[in-house]
Amino acid sequence: MGAFKAIVVEKGGGGQSVAVRDFDENDLMEGDVTVRVTHSTVNYKDGLALTGKAPVVRRFPMIPGIDFAGTVESSSHPDFKPGDAVLLNGWGTGETHLGAYAEKSRVKGDWLVRLPDGLSAAQAMAIGTAGYTAMLAVIALERHGLRPGDGPAIVTGAAGGVGSVATSLLAKGGWHVIASTGRPQEGDYLKTLGAAEIVERSELAATPRPLAKERWAAGVDSVGSTTLANLLSMTKYRGAIAACGLAGGMDLPTSVAPFILRGVSLLGIDSVMAPKAVRLEAWQRLARDLDQDKLAAMTSTIGLDQVIETGKAILDGKIRGRVVVEIG
Ligand code: NDP
């Protein structure tokens, strides 16, 4: 191929610039598998990398994009051969290692997961890192011993990527899902995904009390800050909240009251460095449990040339559900 099309972030002028341009294959980084990338996605972190609003990019020039699906082109890794369908989430791709918004990527084979049976490359990226993280959160709640009979599950940032997939997965699992959104116009969309109740984002934005009326047994939070503090104060005895995001802020203005008086647990979710076994379990569960019609309903598709503007839109909270990027 020689040169191929990529989005490239460069350093300059006291900040960073980003553009679609040709990239030379010889400039790819080390790795034992080269993948012909066919699909990627736009996650919140990609928005941060594309705009430079947070120091996600740690090497310049950088091809951003934290996840991809594609076909192995060449491999010296024992588990992969040319033609294998694979996907990748995290491990520093798009941050420290050249990432997904390109027709080619060279990575460590140990980072790759085989495309699960029953999922196309486009569907895998409709799920993407946001959906895989939602699955990790649901698995964490289950491991904690929580079941739908324990009470409702709250999902914050529900109309976003993590939130849309979490809402669908929890509803399919039999939970009474309370979806919190700042976009009341997306109420019907969230009900289509399986939400039983909609809560206005502002209801969870007030200054948190140490303890408030118990409302839910479980939660998936992609917002952080005051929202997460309010979630904790309203969690039922021995319930748990899986925290995976910071769309509302990185702080956590809470107290120890929910933990020591109600036995509430805060479960931390990281998708980037999650061990391989955890990833395989999550992707198998996604292939089995996520309703494909609901996945299609939450997904829109763009080309590489629309990624930069979409990165800005996701940070402004303007993207509903998931965005697939078709490459090449
Ligand atoms: P999205 O932008 O798709 O979703 C975030 C949602 O949060 C928005 O759609 C909006 O939902 C809500 N929101 C946005 N801004 C605010 C605000 N200021 N206050 C309250 N709510 C807000 O992003 P993703 O779903 O891709 O990611 C969600 C979060 O999860 C991000 O912070 C991301 O960094 C994090 N994340 C973490 C991972 C990990 O490994 N821990 C992996 C993947 C994501 P609505 O309009 O419905 O209110």
Side-chain angles (χ1 to χ4, degrees):
M1 194 181 245
F4 54 85
K5 197 158 274 203
I7 294 179
V8 183
V9 174
E10 315 250 20
K11 208 172 195 164
Q16 66 176 50
S17 64
V18 60
V20 182
R21 70 159 166 89
D22 284 343
F23 196 88
D24 196 315
E25 184 164 357
N26 294 323
D27 293 333
L28 282 176
M29 291 167 76
E30 265 185 40
D32 46 10
V33 182
T34 302
V35 178
R36 168 76 181 84
V37 177
T38 59
H39 298 82
S40 183
T41 88
V42 182
N43 300 281
Y44 191 88
K45 192 188 251 180
D46 295 316
L48 294 174
L50 287 158
T51 58
K53 281 209 173 144
V56 168
V57 175
R58 303 283 180 173
R59 171 215 195 257
F60 296 91
M62 173 53 69
I63 298 174
I66 62 168
D67 46 11
F68 66 68
T71 308
V72 172
E73 197 173 83
S74 61
S75 167
S76 57
H77 189 284
D79 293 349
F80 297 101
K81 59 177 190 325
D84 285 347
V86 293
L87 64 85
L88 179 144
N89 302 102
W91 294 118
T93 19
E95 300 183 58
T96 53
H97 193 92
L98 293 174
Y101 297 144
E103 291 171 324
K104 270 194 197 197
S105 186
R106 189 177 301 133
V107 295
K108 285 189 183 171
D110 289 347
W111 295 349
L112 294 169
V113 167
R114 272 178 202 290
L115 196 67
D117 286 344
L119 284 184
S120 67
Q123 286 170 323
M125 285 302 104
I127 295 167
T129 296
Y132 145 68
T133 301
M135 188 76 248
L136 292 178
V138 171
I139 291 172
L141 293 168
E142 291 170 355
R143 290 253 155 84
H144 193 71
L146 292 165
R147 299 289 175 264
D150 295 323
I154 174 102
V155 175
T156 60
V162 173
S164 293
V165 178
T167 299
S168 304
L169 286 169
L170 289 165
K172 178 93 185 286
W175 289 85
H176 178 98
V177 179
I178 303 175
S180 161
T181 183
R183 291 179 274 180
Q185 69 275 20
E186 300 299 356
D188 286 345
Y189 161 75
L190 290 166
K191 287 195 169 154
T192 308
L193 298 185
E197 285 179 57
I198 310 293
V199 165
E200 240 300 321
R201 180 197 290 178
S202 55
E203 251 190 69
L204 302 171
T207 303
R209 306 211 324 252
L211 291 176
K213 184 173 179 287
E214 295 176 47
R215 293 176 69 178
W216 34 75
V220 176
D221 176 57
S222 52
V223 174
S225 191
T226 308
T227 302
L228 177 54
N230 274 305
L231 247 55
L232 290 165
S233 75
M234 296 175 192
T235 302
K236 286 178 173 240
Y237 192 76
R238 290 182 76 81
I241 303 295
C244 59
L246 44 59
M250 205 163 184
D251 61 326
L252 181 54
T254 188
S255 78
V256 296
F259 310 117
I260 64 171
L261 297 176
R262 287 191 183 151
V264 167
S265 294
L266 180 57
L267 310 175
I269 305 300
D270 168 61
S271 66
V272 179
M273 303 306 284
K276 185 108 176 214
V278 174
R279 292 166 187 262
L280 293 175
E281 180 188 358
W283 277 102
Q284 274 154 19
R285 284 280 306 271
L286 285 159
R288 192 190 75 193
D289 294 347
L290 185 60
D291 185 316
Q292 294 302 332
D293 290 337
K294 289 182 180 169
L295 182 63
M298 69 177 83
T299 304
S300 52
T301 302
I302 61 170
L304 205 56
D305 53 349
Q306 292 161 281
V307 166
I308 296 171
E309 67 199 68
T310 306
K312 290 181 191 135
I314 199 166
L315 297 189
D316 291 340
K318 288 188 180 148
I319 300 295
R320 183 176 92 175
R322 300 280 305 130
V323 178
V324 171
V325 183
E326 271 180 358
I327 298 178

